[in-house]
Amino acid sequence: MTTAVRRGRPRNAAVDVAVVETVLRLLEEGAGVGELSMERIAREAGVGKATVYRRWPGKEALLLDVLRSLEADLQTPEPVGESVRDDLVLMLEFLRRRGLAKRSSAVLRAVITEIRSHPRLWRAYQDTVVQARREAVYEVLRRGMATGEIRADLDPELLADLFVGPMLARAVLREWQELPGGLAERIVDAVLDGVRPH
Amino acid sequence: MTTAVRRGRPRNAAVDVAVVETVLRLLEEGAGVGELSMERIAREAGVGKATVYRRWPGKEALLLDVLRSLEADLQTPEPVGESVRDDLVLMLEFLRRRGLAKRSSAVLRAVITEIRSHPRLWRAYQDTVVQARREAVYEVLRRGMATGEIRADLDPELLADLFVGPMLARAVLREWQELPGGLAERIVDAVLDGVRPH
């Protein structure tokens, strides 16, 4: 029984990996997302079209999994739960490392660029992967409001953007700009202290 | 003599406008940037290919002019030169209005999305149009450092991102998020004051 139950699983997981890796290979070879059909992906992965559709309802869902598999190497930080300042630094440092990874990986860059140019796909990426990271930031900010480390009179969404926005402006919008070590600390401390002289 | 000199100019300007408007029309009709060749643009505009190439060295330069023509309706703000805080609000308010314009104009959105998905084009856009706006922000910040309204111990590039980044995160990266009136003021004041309770 156990054998029978377990037999199918590695096979399905292997198919998932094969399909995701096929997409990565095709993108590495320079294929644009527009050229990739579910049919072609299935054929190149050596599996049936129905098998691919059973796992992913469409190409968009599949591409999100491709991006997730690429981002899985970048460990999302767990807040330590002591200093709110240090946890915010940890989260911005993750965005800095992700920006560096994107710069050094042509495939990661290609997948993100393609996802970025398809508004629905971009939105789905933001609503899942990015939203999960934002929730973690909100949680740290709410903790800071409770402990008195963060002003309680500001909207948490605005607060999150004050910290995250400056890092994203460099890491995502101006990819040729330096992302030096210590940038996360400098942003967090400047936003906490304010830029008006005391 | 004057007539002879002036005769050519309106004709050239008219050609420029006709070419830019042809690109806009083709994009409006749903053509992707990849499908637009200089040949096709010239043909559809009813001018010679050489005429188009005389004005623009390539499609990228032409597309930047198309985007510039779309953004020309959005008046770039002139700093008033009194309160640094108010001038920063003015500049962020411009970015907010630009974000709203992009949301309500399918063509502006299409051109920016296309430019965004071509790294070299995006870089050229940043190095010209966006850089000019950044220089204006740097100037206001330097003035603030001189008058004591802004801390003088922070890197101007970092400072600019602290103000501009949070607005861009919403206006550019999460286009479905609200851009309510008053957002520019709230960002500028929070960055000036800091988010740590005094």
Side-chain angles (χ1 to χ4, degrees):
Chain A
M1 281 288 281
T2 328
T3 320
V5 169
R6 290 179 59 201
R7 207 190 297 160
R9 279 183 184 159
R11 199 177 291 156
N12 285 338
V15 166
D16 286 5
V17 170
V19 171
V20 166
E21 286 188 346
T22 298
V23 176
L24 283 172
R25 175 173 60 77
L26 293 170
L27 291 171
E28 248 165 16
E29 290 168 7
V33 164
E35 304 160 40
L36 295 180
S37 64
M38 292 291 264
E39 286 73 11
R40 180 169 169 204
I41 292 165
R43 198 173 58 242
E44 300 256 6
V47 299
K49 208 174 80 177
T51 308
V52 179
Y53 272 112
R54 208 171 299 132
R55 178 66 185 83
W56 295 278
K59 200 172 72 175
E60 303 199 348
L62 171 52
L63 276 170
L64 279 180
D65 270 0
V66 170
L67 183 51
R68 280 188 197 112
S69 86
L70 286 169
E71 292 204 351
D73 299 337
L74 301 163
Q75 269 196 304
T76 314
E78 269 302 318
V80 178
E82 290 171 13
S83 145
V84 163
R85 182 260 181 198
D86 291 352
D87 279 345
L88 289 168
V89 168
L90 206 69
M91 283 160 166
L92 262 65
E93 178 62 13
F94 168 80
L95 294 178
R96 190 183 75 91
R97 278 191 294 120
R98 183 180 169 282
L100 290 174
K102 187 179 163 196
R103 288 166 196 202
S104 65
S105 158
V107 174
L108 184 55
R109 210 162 49 232
V111 174
I112 294 178
T113 301
E114 288 286 352
I115 287 181
R116 184 79 178 89
S117 67
H118 293 73
R120 262 197 315 157
L121 204 46
W122 178 248
R123 173 82 194 251
Y125 172 63
Q126 294 280 329
D127 283 351
T128 54
V129 181
V130 176
Q131 189 57 32
R133 284 183 208 141
R134 277 186 81 82
E135 295 293 342
V137 174
Y138 291 148
E139 205 169 311
V140 171
L141 290 169
R142 278 192 295 263
R143 205 180 82 222
M145 288 184 191
T147 62
E149 286 163 275
I150 300 279
R151 279 166 58 182
D153 61 327
L154 295 170
D155 167 39
E157 260 190 35
L158 177 73
L159 267 172
D161 281 339
L162 292 179
F163 289 102
V164 166
M167 185 63 89
L168 290 180
R170 285 199 195 197
V172 179
L173 295 175
R174 295 193 307 280
E175 285 156 26
W176 48 91
Q177 256 201 342
E178 273 190 77
L179 287 173
L183 182 60
E185 286 86 345
R186 286 197 287 143
I187 291 172
V188 169
D189 289 334
V191 175
L192 285 172
D193 295 338
V195 306
R196 183 177 271 154
H198 302 304
Chain B
M1 278 286 282
T2 327
T3 318
V5 169
R6 290 177 61 202
R7 206 190 300 160
R9 280 182 184 163
R11 198 176 292 157
N12 284 339
V15 166
D16 287 5
V17 170
V19 171
V20 166
E21 286 189 345
T22 298
V23 176
L24 283 172
R25 176 173 59 77
L26 292 170
L27 291 172
E28 249 166 16
E29 290 168 7
V33 164
E35 306 159 40
L36 295 180
S37 64
M38 292 292 264
E39 286 72 10
R40 179 168 168 206
I41 292 165
R43 197 173 59 241
E44 300 257 4
V47 301
K49 208 173 79 175
T51 307
V52 178
Y53 272 112
R54 209 171 298 133
R55 178 66 185 82
W56 295 280
K59 200 172 71 175
E60 304 200 346
L62 171 52
L63 276 171
L64 279 180
D65 270 0
V66 170
L67 182 51
R68 280 187 197 113
S69 87
L70 286 170
E71 292 205 350
D73 298 337
L74 302 162
Q75 268 196 306
T76 313
E78 269 301 320
V80 179
E82 290 172 13
S83 146
V84 163
R85 183 259 181 201
D86 291 351
D87 280 344
L88 289 168
V89 168
L90 206 70
M91 283 160 167
L92 262 65
E93 178 62 13
F94 169 80
L95 294 178
R96 190 183 73 91
R97 277 191 293 120
R98 181 180 171 282
L100 290 175
K102 187 180 162 197
R103 287 165 196 203
S104 65
S105 157
V107 174
L108 183 54
R109 209 161 52 231
V111 174
I112 294 178
T113 301
E114 287 287 353
I115 286 181
R116 184 78 179 90
S117 67
H118 292 72
R120 261 198 315 157
L121 203 48
W122 178 248
R123 173 81 194 252
Y125 171 64
Q126 294 280 330
D127 283 352
T128 53
V129 180
V130 176
Q131 189 55 34
R133 285 183 208 143
R134 277 186 80 82
E135 295 293 344
V137 174
Y138 291 147
E139 205 169 309
V140 171
L141 291 170
R142 278 193 295 265
R143 205 181 80 221
M145 289 184 189
T147 61
E149 284 161 276
I150 301 279
R151 279 165 59 182
D153 62 328
L154 294 171
D155 167 39
E157 259 190 35
L158 178 72
L159 268 172
D161 281 340
L162 293 179
F163 288 103
V164 165
M167 185 63 89
L168 290 180
R170 286 200 194 197
V172 179
L173 295 175
R174 295 194 308 280
E175 284 155 29
W176 49 89
Q177 257 201 340
E178 273 190 76
L179 287 172
L183 182 60
E185 286 86 344
R186 286 197 288 143
I187 292 173
V188 168
D189 289 333
V191 175
L192 285 171
D193 293 339
V195 306
R196 183 177 270 154
H198 302 301

